[in-house]
Amino acid sequence: MEYVYAALLLHSAGKDVTEEGIRNIVTASGVAADDVRIKALVAALEGVDITAVLSQAAAVPVAAAAAPVAAATAAAAPAAKEEEEESKEAAEESGVEGLGALFG
């Protein structure tokens, strides 16, 4: 991920996305640079218009991306409530068993 961020940083600074540039940024961040990954990234980005790709990614509606997350959260809420009720019942039952042992 840090390699992609380095490439985006170079692009936003108006510099060419090169192996040396990515290596310098990654090394400056304190991460050991992997030359194989750097070469693969630079090769994959060759001929790609990063500005166009970023503008297309920004055009995706945020609300549409957030809808599945909200639905999953809403579906998880009843399950969490059921688990909480079950744990309360289990705690009450174990307390009653403990009292029974005291009085034989």
Side-chain angles (χ1 to χ4, degrees):
M1 189 64 77
E2 55 271 358
Y3 302 103
V4 174
Y5 289 144
L8 290 173
L9 183 62
L10 286 169
H11 174 74
S12 69
K15 305 209 182 256
D16 290 333
V17 178
T18 63
E19 291 178 26
E20 182 181 350
I22 293 174
R23 186 178 305 107
N24 289 342
I25 291 172
V26 170
T27 304
S29 70
V31 177
D34 183 0
D35 288 334
V36 174
R37 288 185 181 192
I38 293 171
K39 287 181 184 188
L41 177 63
V42 171
L45 291 176
E46 192 171 315
V48 174
D49 184 5
I50 296 174
T51 305
V53 172
L54 291 175
S55 67
Q56 289 173 355
V60 175
V62 175
V69 174
T73 304
K81 187 174 181 180
E82 288 177 17
E83 288 178 13
E84 183 179 315
E85 290 175 6
E86 289 175 4
S87 66
K88 284 181 182 178
E89 289 175 8
E92 289 174 2
E93 288 176 7
S94 67
V96 171
E97 290 173 1
L99 288 175
L102 284 174
F103 299 107

